[in-house]
Amino acid sequence: MLVDGIEEYFGWLLDGASEGLRYLVGGFEDLLLSIPAPVLILLASALVWFVTRRDIRLAGLTALGLLLIWNLELWDLAMLTLALVIISTILALAISIPVGIAAAGSEPLNAALRPALDLMQTMPSFVYLIPAVIFFGLGSVPGIIATVVFAMPPALRLTNLGIRQVPRELIEVADAFGTTPRQKLFKVQLPVALPTIMAGVNQCIMLALSMTVIASMIGAGGLGYQVLVGIQRVDIGMGFEAGLAIVIIAIILDRITQNLVPQHENR
Amino acid sequence: MKLEGSVIFEKLSREDSTSLQPIVSVKGLTKVFGQDPEKALALHRSGCSKQEIHEETGETLALNNVSFEVMPGEIFVLMGLSGSGKSTLLRCINRLIDPTEGEILIDGEDIVGMSQEELRATRRRRLGMIFQNFALLPHRTVLDNVAFGLEVQGIPEDERCRKAEEVLRMVGLGGYGASMPSHLSGGMKQRVGLARALTSDPDILLMDEAFSALDPLIRRDMQDELLEIQQRLCKTIIFVTHDLDEALKLGDRIALMKDGVIVQIGTPEEILTNPENAYVERFVADVDLTRVLSASDVMRRPEPVAQCTAGPRVALHLMEEHDITGIFVVTRQRLLRGRVTLDDAAEAVREGTPMKDILITDLPVVAPDATLSDIISLITKSPYPVAVVDGAGRLRGVISRGAILAALARKGEDIRAVA
Ligand SMILES: Nc1ncnc2c1ncn2[C@@H]1O[C@H](COP(=O)(O)OP(=O)(O)OP(=O)(O)O)[C@@H](O)[C@H]1O
Ligand SMILES: [Mg+2]
């Protein structure tokens, strides 16, 4: 009933969003695939080397891991998974960080959000697939929608927490020196909360990756689909290889985001 | 020690700013923390105490009808036990806390009625603040911390960096601009805090227990440095402390607070010698050293002295040579005979009067084990320094006003270590 109503009145909106997302993922996937694999492997290793402040070992492992994925002929699927993860993460952060900032500044909003977040985090992840399928059918788009919803809560919570945990004296510094609310946010609150927010970003990416794998059940494609096929055909080797590729991507993304911001001791 | 004495002496003689307009003027300031200030105020008017109001309503009457004025260039110290409302009062002045009632005039302008826009302008240009735990921004370099105020004001980067570097040099951290705050020691951090407040060149510095987190030696250095900077830049400083020694050393005037009320306002000397009520007396007695230190701890050697066998001409010569205005006269066995002033000696030389005719014998005299509180009451009654004389009547030392204040301003442990 409700669903029908929504379909009827907001169908155009859902279709539009769906079209846009499909286009975005497709474009991003094409972009990743247009770069020759060796070049991308080199670029990724260089990025790891740079953000880990010249950890040559980690950069080497990155190169090895990606070469392995290439060698297993999982490269194209891996790029699709990566495109899904990156698009989902960007969307999830684009919602959760501003909302987290708003929740840090507003008690009513915070109180309203808390039960919703609790619900979202305790729900088994594949439950998100059902409404996504109802509204968007099968394919990568419902996969992205489900992933965004699933990956949002920790980033939102940690943004909220990070800003609330900014020491009171630092807020007083901002006020005492005559900052506008905007200056206070960008010059004091966000930079001081950044390590906590980045922990949220890191979790958001990890959850997005795990969810895109599950979303392969509704036809999102990528490495997850390969795992699924392996399970269905009881082909252990196939499932294992795809699973290994997912782990490699997870580790690389984790190391990059963990090291993106230098930790500073408070006070 | 000599330096401290002279600083205090200068401060005492700097008391002639009364003809000026007050730069900060607080009138009838009241602050209630809680949901329903009206109810708390009504209870207060019906005669309930802070405790009773808190039990009845859960509201805290943090400030209760506080009024005072601060003159330009003055160091005004707010002192009191924990919870007496010092921080609340200080934060009302730049409205980090909004007062419940009363007005706060800064150069005649009421900050309580200001719009957000006006308030920001006042905070940026007129009020600097220094915090107990330094409160440096951990993600910024020392230089960017110091330039923070100017950055907020929208001053271009090269100009604010130049200014910030200049102020950093002034506080002795010239080479540390690129360091991160977490790499500095406590004393250095607070120098950065001081520099940050000074960079936007405000007229008024608000300091909340700014030196309380530092260890005693560093703390003394910072106090000296603050006095020096204050003298050079002539800032008005409102300084919160719960430490009497610090208050005596820094304050031109001290306001003693209790339960949200100012119990007494006065110069350090007035507070020490003339406590207005039992609370002030107890506070002074609790924390200060007047009952711990004795005359022998604070006296200095009586140099030079004149022999009573010598004439006025010798005494005059000695005084001129040492650039002093009075000299003790003793026998060969150093038994105290009296004191001769510069003027009297000069006249005696002209008139040819003998030494014994110009000898002042009505001198304040104490034993070496007399306590400082005894000495303070003596010294305020007499224009002369106090002579310390042992049981046999021999002159052992001399105590000036400056020496007493300097001793009180020093930490007790140093003195005991020396003694
Ligand atoms: N934000 C607040 N909410 C409620 N009560 C407060 C608040 N801030 C201070 N108080 C209360 O107001 C009174 C005065 O506090 P204030 O911090 O001004 O004292 P203080 O003299 O600075 O003490 P200390 O030496 O411990 O810093 C105390 O009873 C305190 O509990
Ligand atoms: Mg305080």
Side-chain angles (χ1 to χ4, degrees), chain A residues 132-139 142-143 218:
Chain A
V133 169
I134 293 176
F135 291 119
F136 296 95
L138 294 176
I218 54 172

Side-chain angles (χ1 to χ4, degrees), chain A residues 75-191:
Chain A
W75 187 258
D76 290 6
L77 291 175
M79 288 307 106
L80 175 56
T81 297
L82 196 60
L84 285 171
V85 168
I86 291 175
I87 299 287
S88 311
T89 305
I90 289 173
L91 286 177
L93 293 179
I95 300 169
S96 56
I97 290 181
V99 176
I101 291 171
S106 151
E107 251 352 286
L109 181 61
N110 188 39
L113 279 175
R114 196 171 309 136
L117 290 173
D118 288 342
L119 191 75
M120 282 160 85
Q121 280 191 301
T122 46
M123 201 91 91
S125 49
F126 50 83
V127 174
Y128 292 108
L129 299 178
I130 302 163
V133 169
I134 293 176
F135 291 119
F136 296 95
L138 294 176
S140 60
V141 172
I144 290 178
I145 301 287
T147 305
V148 167
V149 175
F150 182 67
M152 239 168 34
L156 201 162
R157 269 188 210 274
L158 284 169
T159 303
N160 184 356
L161 182 75
I163 291 183
R164 281 171 190 269
Q165 278 180 341
V166 173
R168 210 177 70 114
E169 256 191 346
L170 294 185
I171 300 297
E172 288 189 332
V173 168
D175 287 334
F177 280 86
T179 55
T180 61
R182 210 184 146 77
Q183 287 175 324
K184 178 157 78 174
L185 181 65
F186 284 105
K187 290 185 194 295
V188 177
Q189 290 173 301
L190 282 181

Side-chain angles (χ1 to χ4, degrees), chain B residues 71-300:
Chain B
M71 293 298 162
E74 189 176 29
I75 301 184
F76 189 84
V77 173
L78 295 170
M79 185 176 64
L81 300 176
S82 185
S84 55
K86 310 178 295 287
S87 299
T88 307
L89 178 49
L90 193 76
R91 279 165 173 69
C92 282
I93 293 171
N94 63 356
R95 256 183 70 189
L96 287 181
I97 294 177
D98 271 313
T100 310
E101 272 181 2
E103 60 183 31
I104 299 167
L105 306 181
I106 294 182
D107 256 351
E109 270 187 276
D110 188 7
I111 195 160
V112 180
M114 279 185 187
S115 69
Q116 285 299 320
E117 195 59 41
E118 292 169 315
L119 178 61
R120 268 199 292 277
T122 307
R123 282 169 169 175
R124 285 177 181 186
R125 308 202 177 255
R126 318 226 44 199
L127 299 165
M129 191 161 186
I130 296 155
F131 297 81
Q132 176 169 10
N133 293 308
F134 324 128
L136 303 181
L137 299 169
H139 58 284
R140 286 168 167 249
T141 61
V142 165
L143 191 72
D144 285 342
N145 263 287
V146 175
F148 181 68
L150 296 180
E151 184 181 329
V152 165
Q153 292 175 30
I155 308 288
E157 178 157 5
D158 50 343
E159 189 181 334
R160 66 176 188 246
C161 286
R162 200 168 45 230
K163 178 80 193 176
E165 259 160 27
E166 193 181 298
V167 180
L168 265 181
R169 269 198 301 279
M170 190 175 80
V171 299
L173 289 179
Y176 287 90
S179 309
M180 293 311 279
S182 56
H183 296 162
L184 303 183
S185 69
M188 289 158 93
K189 283 183 191 169
Q190 197 56 300
R191 280 166 206 267
V192 177
L194 187 60
R196 177 172 64 182
L198 289 172
T199 306
S200 25
D201 202 19
D203 313 312
I204 303 164
L205 292 181
L206 306 174
M207 305 182 68
D208 190 359
E209 311 226 12
F211 302 149
S212 302
L214 304 175
D215 64 48
L217 286 177
I218 310 275
R219 191 169 176 175
R220 266 183 68 189
D221 288 348
M222 290 296 288
Q223 290 165 349
D224 291 338
E225 205 151 321
L226 182 71
L227 287 171
E228 200 189 300
I229 286 174
Q230 199 274 345
Q231 235 147 39
R232 190 135 46 98
L233 306 178
C234 213
K235 301 288 178 199
T236 305
I237 299 175
I238 304 183
F239 191 101
V240 167
T241 181
H242 57 249
D243 182 29
L244 181 65
D245 296 348
E246 190 165 68
L248 291 172
K249 178 167 175 182
L250 296 178
D252 292 318
R253 282 189 305 148
I254 299 172
L256 198 74
M257 295 187 68
K258 185 198 180 205
D259 288 346
V261 182
I262 292 185
V263 190
Q264 182 175 5
I265 298 184
T267 61
E269 258 193 332
E270 283 164 5
I271 298 265
L272 279 184
T273 56
N274 216 349
E276 208 147 277
N277 62 27
Y279 174 75
V280 179
E281 203 164 356
R282 219 169 37 246
F283 195 93
V284 171
D286 278 351
V287 199
D288 79 12
L289 302 163
T290 55
R291 270 137 239 248
V292 184
L293 294 178
S294 63
S296 52
D297 290 329
V298 295
M299 69 188 188
R300 62 177 166 74

